[in-house]
Amino acid sequence: MNRRTQQKASTRANIKRVARSAFLEQGVEATTTREISRLANVAVGTFFVHFPDKLDLVKEIFFDEMDEALSAGIGQQQPTSSPTEYLSQIAVTLFTFYGRYDEFTRLIMLDSVSTGGFHKQQMASVTEALLSRFEAVNIDRDTGMIFAENMVANFWLVFMECLPTGSFASKVALERLDRLNLPFKVSYQNAARK
């Protein structure tokens, strides 16, 4: 990497670092691009060279933090063959993360729902992981897909119920998700016994 490329990467990383700190201290909405630029000791124009807008910066920070949370949360747990236990592990990790980054979550979800963004991609990945667990106990692909898609819909239902209050990681929310997915747990257990 040449010196100019290193300097650009360093400037970008510095903007992200000071923005993350400012967002967490002051709030995303209250933190302006001018303030971020001042804290990063760069011109406002330099900010826009690296990030098209503040939301793009918010997303990048959010997804970096989410990747770390998922790696730390899911990566340290024993892999489970149960689809409901797997989804519970995902929910505990992500709901805790969403609660910690509450304002980020609201902004990004609003954008994501309106543009068909990350939540669709993330849940497609979770759906495939659930489906593979159903198929492992010989539940046919079509039925397994129906089960997996309904479990993901339940995840989003609980998520949306928590969104106004930011109470994502509450015991009540996680218990509700487990109750909603009880039929799929029973179906999986019955298929596993055969």
Side-chain angles (χ1 to χ4, degrees):
M1 193 182 312
N2 67 33
R3 183 177 167 97
R4 180 158 169 74
T5 304
Q6 287 175 342
Q7 186 177 15
K8 282 181 79 171
S10 176
T11 300
R12 183 180 179 83
N14 184 44
I15 292 169
K16 281 175 60 176
R17 182 183 54 76
V18 301
R20 181 187 178 280
S21 179
F23 291 155
L24 292 174
E25 287 175 23
Q26 301 167 186
V28 175
E29 290 294 329
T31 305
T32 65
T33 54
R34 185 173 302 284
E35 176 71 4
I36 295 166
S37 299
R38 185 187 65 76
L39 292 169
N41 201 26
V42 298
V44 175
T46 301
F47 173 93
F48 289 109
V49 165
H50 293 279
F51 300 96
D53 56 32
K54 186 168 77 170
L55 183 58
D56 190 64
L57 172 61
V58 168
K59 288 178 185 178
E60 192 165 318
I61 292 168
F62 182 83
F63 295 131
D64 287 351
E65 296 291 320
M66 181 185 286
D67 286 345
E68 284 184 34
L70 284 168
S71 294
I74 302 299
Q76 294 177 2
Q77 296 178 17
Q78 286 288 355
T80 178
S81 58
S82 165
T84 52
E85 287 176 21
Y86 170 76
L87 190 61
S88 289
Q89 289 174 342
I90 294 287
V92 166
T93 301
L94 286 178
F95 283 7
T96 301
F97 173 80
Y98 296 148
R100 182 167 181 233
Y101 291 93
D102 185 37
E103 187 180 11
F104 285 75
T105 300
R106 282 187 174 91
L107 291 169
I108 289 169
M109 285 303 158
L110 178 62
D111 177 70
S112 185
V113 168
S114 65
T115 62
F118 107 92
H119 81 284
K120 185 175 180 179
Q121 297 165 359
Q122 186 178 56
M123 288 302 110
S125 174
V126 171
T127 300
E128 280 301 313
L130 293 170
L131 175 60
S132 70
R133 285 162 170 79
F134 284 117
E135 288 180 323
V137 293
N138 296 318
I139 292 176
D140 69 272
R141 183 166 183 80
D142 291 339
T143 303
M145 183 59 85
I146 291 168
F147 289 173
E149 288 175 344
N150 276 280
M151 290 176 69
V152 167
N154 290 337
F155 176 94
W156 283 110
L157 172 67
V158 173
F159 171 87
M160 295 304 284
E161 291 171 346
C162 295
L163 193 57
T165 61
S167 60
F168 296 103
S170 73
K171 185 176 179 182
V172 172
L174 297 170
E175 287 173 350
R176 176 147 166 72
L177 181 62
D178 287 342
R179 278 193 314 278
L180 289 168
N181 287 326
L182 184 59
F184 309 112
K185 179 178 185 176
V186 171
S187 295
Y188 173 81
Q189 289 171 338
N190 288 339
R193 284 191 200 113
K194 292 181 182 180

